[in-house]
Amino acid sequence: MDFIRYAEASANLLNTEINDVDALVGHLVGREWLHDSCTDRDCMLLRKFQRELRPVFEASGAGDTQGVIDGLNELMVRHPITPRISDHDPSDLHLHVATESASVAELLVGESLLGLATLVCDLGPSRLGVCSATPCTNVYVDTSPNQSRRYCSDRCSSRANVAAYRARQKAVATA
C-alpha cells in the first residue's frame, strides 16, 4: 500500500468532476478492473465525499492544524475503513483498504482517508493545500522535501510566474 500515492489520489479525486459514471470511469485510468463496477450511486457518494473532504485541505492551507486533524478524524468515523491483507499475488502481500464486496466509492474513500491520515501523521498536517493561482481552486498534496508547494500543477505555477513577471515588467515600464 502506497500511502503517499493514496494521499495524492485523494487530491486528484477532489479535483475531478464526477458528474456521471463515464466521468468516474475516466477518473479510474489504470484501474480498468473497477470500470464495470461503477454506478450512479458511487458518483453520488463520491460527490458528497468531495464536499466533506474539501474543508480538510482548506484548513491545512489556512494553517489550521486542529481543523485538519478533527476533519480527518470525523471523516474516518463517518466512513469506516476495513483494511484486509491481499494475497492476489502471494509474493507481494499488501493491504487493501476495503473488503472485496466494497463499492468503488467505498474503496476510493478508504484509500483517500487512510492515505491522508498516514501523510498527516508522517509529514504533518500542513502538507495539504489549495492552489495559489487565481482563479484555480484545485487542491494538492505537498510531498516536496522543503514543503514549498503552492500550486496544484506545473501549469498553474507557470501561469502565476508569467503573470508576476509581466506585472514586474509593467511596474518598471511605468516607473
Side-chain angles (χ1 to χ4, degrees):
M1 178 179 287
D2 183 351
F3 293 113
I4 297 290
R5 185 174 55 88
Y6 282 163
E8 290 171 336
S10 72
N12 189 23
L13 176 64
L14 207 52
N15 295 334
T16 300
E17 278 191 49
I18 303 176
N19 298 326
D20 55 24
V21 171
D22 289 339
L24 178 54
V25 167
H27 171 73
L28 294 170
V29 171
R31 300 180 85 177
E32 286 73 20
W33 62 92
L34 295 174
H35 292 184
D36 290 339
S37 301
C38 294
T39 66
D40 288 327
R41 186 173 194 292
D42 290 319
C43 297
M44 182 268 302
L45 291 172
L46 288 169
R47 286 191 301 268
K48 180 178 185 250
F49 179 67
Q50 288 173 319
R51 290 188 301 274
E52 295 171 339
L53 183 59
R54 184 167 188 80
V56 171
F57 281 82
E58 291 170 346
S60 180
D64 180 4
T65 297
Q66 199 60 52
V68 173
I69 295 165
D70 291 346
L72 283 174
N73 280 334
E74 183 179 317
L75 286 171
M76 287 189 288
V77 167
R78 269 193 243 157
H79 305 278
I81 301 165
T82 308
R84 66 180 180 87
I85 298 172
S86 173
D87 63 350
H88 57 83
D89 179 356
S91 66
D92 181 28
L93 296 177
H94 57 280
L95 286 177
H96 282 197
V97 297
T99 64
E100 289 182 0
S101 62
S103 70
V104 171
E106 290 168 329
L107 174 67
L108 295 178
V109 168
E111 289 173 352
S112 293
L113 291 176
L114 197 54
L116 289 171
T118 303
L119 177 111
V120 165
C121 289
D122 289 351
L123 300 179
S126 60
R127 294 300 188 124
L128 312 174
V130 179
C131 187
S132 294
T134 44
C136 186
T137 59
N138 284 345
V139 299
Y140 61 86
V141 171
D142 183 1
T143 57
S144 66
N146 59 357
Q147 196 174 342
S148 61
R149 187 165 179 183
R150 297 181 334 169
Y151 302 101
C152 67
S153 66
D154 289 338
R155 180 177 179 219
C156 279
S157 175
S158 294
R159 190 174 33 202
N161 288 333
V162 167
Y165 173 79
R166 288 182 179 156
R168 285 191 304 274
Q169 295 302 316
K170 186 175 180 180
V172 168
T174 58

